[in-house]
Amino acid sequence: MNIIMWMLSSAAFFAWIFGITLKKPFSTNAKHFGLLIVVHLVLSIAAIELKKRGVVILRHEDSLWLREGIALALKSYMALVLIVMSSFMIALTGKGAQQMTHFHKTYNAANLHRNPLKFYLRQEPAIVWGYRLFFLVGGVYVLWAIWFRLPF
């Protein structure tokens, strides 16, 4: 089951990154990230309030099916959080590089011919893709850790 869920979540991760993140403007990715933060905050407050009132979702004597179902739901939520957060970071690398280039071309035009700025300006697309690749590989690794290394 974990192998299937890891493969599905990795496929969803790549579909989200290449289908939404890299095709939409940064503001769209920022909205997705903001929505995730709000939903996560609401869920956290709800969980804290339930715990204060003594509501227990899972007991030791509960069935294995219930335990597995809750573990599947939690791991799926964690995978969704990872996908949206990684998507935001990948979008942020592109926007950050764009802003840095704009700043230097506007306010530092006299030094554009000097290294390391000259190197950065020539290699900007490769540098951005290097960072994006780092987040892609890291995302797949964290998805693997969620499905195989996280005990519930």
Side-chain angles (χ1 to χ4, degrees):
M1 177 71 162
N2 286 339
I3 292 173
I4 293 169
M5 293 306 294
W6 176 63
M7 291 174 67
L8 286 174
S9 60
S10 295
F13 177 63
F14 284 113
W16 183 280
I17 299 300
F18 291 106
I20 295 174
T21 303
L22 297 178
K23 291 184 178 178
K24 302 287 183 184
F26 177 75
S27 59
T28 303
N29 291 295
K31 289 174 189 173
H32 293 155
F33 183 72
L35 184 63
L36 171 76
I37 295 298
V38 169
V39 168
H40 188 72
L41 183 62
V42 168
L43 289 174
S44 296
I45 291 170
I48 290 168
E49 289 301 317
L50 286 173
K51 187 172 182 177
K52 281 183 184 177
R53 289 171 173 58
V55 176
V56 177
I57 304 278
L58 195 61
R59 295 179 182 85
H60 290 288
E61 63 271 3
D62 286 336
S63 73
L64 180 63
W65 287 101
L66 181 62
R67 289 179 176 283
E68 290 295 322
I70 290 175
L72 181 65
L74 288 173
K75 288 180 177 185
S76 297
Y77 176 72
M78 291 172 69
L80 177 67
V81 168
L82 171 90
I83 290 169
V84 174
M85 289 184 135
S86 295
S87 171
F88 179 72
M89 294 307 295
I90 287 170
L92 189 63
T93 58
K95 183 67 171 177
Q98 180 185 25
Q99 291 295 98
M100 193 164 58
T101 300
H102 174 72
F103 172 83
H104 283 290
K105 286 183 176 179
T106 304
Y107 300 106
N108 195 17
N111 294 317
L112 293 179
H113 66 284
R114 294 185 175 171
N115 277 322
L117 187 55
K118 181 172 85 172
F119 174 79
Y120 167 75
L121 292 174
R122 286 185 182 167
Q123 302 299 325
E124 179 187 357
I127 292 169
V128 169
W129 269 106
Y131 275 104
R132 287 177 176 168
L133 184 63
F134 172 76
F135 284 113
L136 285 171
V137 171
V140 172
Y141 174 72
V142 173
L143 286 171
W144 176 84
I146 288 171
W147 292 109
F148 293 106
R149 304 286 293 175
L150 197 65
F152 275 109

